[in-house]
Amino acid sequence: MHRSVTRTGGVAAAAALLLALAPLAASADAFAPASASRTRTAHAAVDSLQRAFGAAAERYGVPADLLLAVSYLRSRWDSHGGAPSVGGGYGPMHLTDARTPWPRLAPGAGMLAQAAALTGLPEEELRTDPAANVHGGAALLAAAHRRTGGAPGAGPEHWRGALARFSGARESAAARAYADEVYAVLREGQRRTNDDGQHVVLRADRGAAPAAGAAAPTGSAECPATVSCEWIPAPYKKLDGSSDGDFGNHDLADRDRTGSVDYIVVHDTEGSWNTALRLVQRPDYVSWQYTLRSSDGHVAQHVPLKDVAWHAGNWYTNATSVGLEHEGFLTAPDAWYTEAMYRASARLTRHLAERYDIPLDRLHVIGHDNVPGGTPEAVRGMHTDPGPYWDWAHYFELLGRPFVATAGPDSAVVTVRPRYETHRPAYTGCGKQAAQPCPGHASGAVRLHTAPDAEAPLVRDAGRGRDSTIQVNDTGARASTGQSFAVAERRGDWTAIWYLGQKAWFANPAARPTAVNTRARLLTPREGRESIAVYGRAYPEESAYPADVPAQPVVPLPYRVPAGQRYVVGERTRGAYFHAKEFGKPGRVIRGEEVYYEIQYGHRIGYVKESDVRVLGG
């Protein structure tokens, strides 16, 4: 049963918050083009795409800044080399072959076919030529404006109906939220060098039309008012022919009262929106709190926040976290990890963090690939999503917590922060064969070696029992953007950190740094200890359990922290175990006296006992 694998592995609901995303302060040099992109565009002026937006806006009567904002929300102005995005979308305007929900020029015609009819340009040119693609998007947006009764020459504030229709969203709330997000982009402004090396600028317009009539949560959904959200419940019911102890697919709890939510876990679905919704509504499957749709950031909530969903593969993490599933596949980021989804997710995460007082850092906002195995046997089977292509730097910029230097060059701590667009480590395994190379792509992860040499072996993950590789799902020698580690040594262009109980080196040249110097609290084993144990769960001591609750074993993982090593400290917590046994009754939390510290141990977090360590200043 899915349930057994997952489980072993105050009612003060906060009012919906109108959380504005923090304005980005990205500079042009922070997004320099990759060498491959420079080669592709060697003969093209770096502002040709900007000029294409201006020409298309003038040709079709669309406000130029509005057109830029729509394109940014759809693609961040990227072209992806002519490859299709989710739903078969192409180019900076993300034009798709899919049928649109608004009146079409011809029965069954998709956006590309309609754009071709409106512009007279061939569909293939609309797919592969960014300038043509922009013209096609402008023509479609202008057509949507006319169909909603918009007047020619109207300013951006009068295009809300057209934007909602252009979104393609099936739900009216999602369409309105999409339009409101375009206005948010207009107010913030953006500056970026895209994947073709094109410099594109959208000036901030602080007076852009406010998001009046923002989409509100529907039904029982617990969402901020700035996202489109609906309630699609996961079933809490006994399984057919089962006993009271066998039910699905989540547990009743009272986490608002007990204050048990400490983490937000970012997942991807490894499937489509429709597949995810179908699975979460199966009582014999697992569950999570929210699913986010790739095309427009629409959100569905499935499990009340007070209850415990089965999403992390670690029972302790399930009990102390909220799970956010993002539609997509980790090996196809361009096709699925859209700006609309990033922004909706950031709004939702900000809302949850404020509700539960969760720090916005990478020890509390974690990926599924950062969740530790609960037992030694579980380590090898832990999940690897959202993967090395998820843009944590951009996500935290949207959260208003960018990763920046907070210490000098001799700092005791570094935070991983390569320039996403230019950092392109090779990976394998994106196709059917494990050794098949992945297409070159930006990444927020750095590779860790046993010596300051790119040819040196990768560090080994003892818990997995095999050598690390560059396979896209192998996290054994990987540090991800936003994760912070204690510095073990610096040597020229290389920095060593304490990682998985060993010294791990990554390239960090001053001319092209992959980390920033920061401050953080550190811990180390107490004097006299050769090494200390690392745990995957912060469970209480045996004496804390009442007679009617079986004591859970406190099992160390196959990892140690040797004397002299230091690790960055996260959550401090008393040991706790969430016990849910009887159908129809909320589970209860058993807390002990043993105190644990969360640490950034490797790519995944871990826990150590306070009685084993000495905490240093930071």
Side-chain angles (χ1 to χ4, degrees), residues 70 229 303:
V70 170
C229 190
V303 176

Side-chain angles (χ1 to χ4, degrees), residues 414-434:
V414 290
T415 297
V416 176
R417 176 54 169 99
R419 292 181 178 178
Y420 182 84
E421 277 75 6
T422 62
H423 184 65
R424 295 179 171 241
Y427 292 100
T428 61
C430 289
K432 294 182 179 179
Q433 303 298 322

Side-chain angles (χ1 to χ4, degrees), residues 523-527 529 531-535 560 594-595 608-614:
L523 58 72
T524 192
R526 286 184 182 271
E527 293 182 8
R529 310 285 180 93
S531 67
I532 62 170
V534 177
Y535 302 88
R560 308 287 294 182
E594 184 83 70
V595 173
V608 294
K609 293 182 178 180
E610 185 178 54
S611 56
D612 287 339
V613 303
R614 180 168 57 94

